Amino acid sequence: MSTESSAAIGSVEGVSLYDVDHPAPVIEPPRKRTGKTPKGSRTNFEMYAWLFMRLSGIVLVVLVLGHLLIQLVLDGGVSKIGFAFVAGRWASPFWQVWDLAMLWLAMLHGANGLRTVINDYAERDNTRFWLKMLLYTATVFTVLLGTLVIFTFDPNIR
Amino acid sequence: MPAGTLYRGREGMWSWVAHRVTGVLIFFFLFVHVLDTALVRVSPEAYDDVVATYKTPIVALLEYGLVAAILFHALNGLRIVAVDFWAKGPRYQKQMLWSVVGVWVVLMVGALYPVLGHAVREVFGS
């Protein structure tokens, strides 16, 4: 039996050192989570971040290219943009939802992208930590400000 | 950072570099763009004043650059999705990059007149 299986392995590998009575040592998977695994890598956060980049990216292609077409190409391009133009578009809930979705997805997509860039290039722990704090602060501020502007927009402000 | 490596990559590495650079540029613009749009909550005049700078010839050039960055990031992003989720994606990544570049060039030529036309008229008259 053992000669048969070693023959099946082939002449290059030669006779196997291991059989039922002498099993090969168990090699632990290199990325197995153990008690020593740092807290930050015990969840699937990075996998969900990776997936989010792809899904939000596909939606953003439609939202952002549509936005560019309306703002910079159609109907006179950038020349027609002004308070009145914004008021006209945000009178419709469709464009409010469009802009809100674009704001949230683009900010989160961009923030996660910059988080990756900071993690890659900032080598000192302190630098990395504070750059990310700055990034998260700016992101929360921008998302909240933009959301507030869309929801509280008043065409009769003056 | 590792000093002086000989590795200079090929299409895969350079598209990765371009994707990073355009992504960072777009993020910084987005931050400024939300701030300038927030001026609609201050007054119509404040908003129109700032938007007036967006209509000057020099900023029109910057807008063309922004369109270039966004179009590349969008098209190459779709290529990355294809590489990750389509079984044959990795095998065709190079061909897909050159398709991205091709579509990008066509769209950039198409954007010339809409984005820069008014700036050319302003600089050269009529």
Side-chain angles (χ1 to χ4, degrees), chain A residues 4-155:
Chain A
E4 230 172 72
S5 60
S6 61
I9 292 169
S11 58
V12 177
E13 287 85 356
V15 180
S16 175
L17 290 169
Y18 310 110
D19 56 32
V20 180
D21 298 322
H22 306 90
V26 175
I27 300 171
E28 206 167 79
R31 296 189 186 204
K32 191 180 178 191
R33 282 165 192 164
T34 65
K36 280 180 246 162
T37 305
K39 258 198 179 141
S41 49
R42 282 187 202 175
T43 65
N44 285 329
F45 176 78
E46 292 298 340
M47 190 272 279
Y48 290 118
W50 173 88
L51 191 61
F52 170 77
M53 290 309 261
R54 273 118 192 106
L55 297 181
S56 63
I58 293 171
V59 179
L60 279 167
V61 168
V62 177
L63 294 178
V64 173
L65 295 192
H67 182 72
L68 283 182
L69 195 67
I70 293 165
Q71 307 291 324
L72 292 181
V73 177
L74 301 178
D75 205 11
V78 76
S79 327
K80 89 277 186 171
I81 300 178
F83 185 85
F85 182 74
V86 176
R89 292 192 65 230
W90 279 349
S92 146
F94 178 82
W95 295 115
Q96 283 185 317
V97 171
W98 182 295
D99 286 354
L100 194 70
M102 192 164 58
L103 170 76
W104 278 74
L105 290 177
M107 282 306 296
L108 293 178
H109 186 102
N112 190 50
L114 247 78
R115 182 182 70 91
T116 310
V117 170
I118 292 170
N119 281 340
D120 277 359
Y121 300 118
E123 292 193 354
R124 289 183 51 222
D125 286 355
N126 256 330
T127 316
R128 210 163 50 239
F129 175 80
W130 287 111
L131 279 177
K132 279 193 273 188
M133 284 305 127
L134 179 68
L135 170 69
Y136 298 154
T137 310
T139 302
V140 169
F141 171 78
T142 311
V143 168
L144 291 184
L145 176 71
T147 305
L148 197 73
V149 167
I150 293 175
F151 278 123
T152 67
F153 178 72
D154 175 11

Side-chain angles (χ1 to χ4, degrees), chain A residues 81-83 86, chain B residues 36-40 43-52:
Chain A
I81 300 178
F83 185 85
V86 176
Chain B
D36 70 53
T37 305
L39 288 174
V40 294
S43 73
E45 293 77 22
Y47 180 74
D48 287 345
D49 278 353
V50 169
V51 170

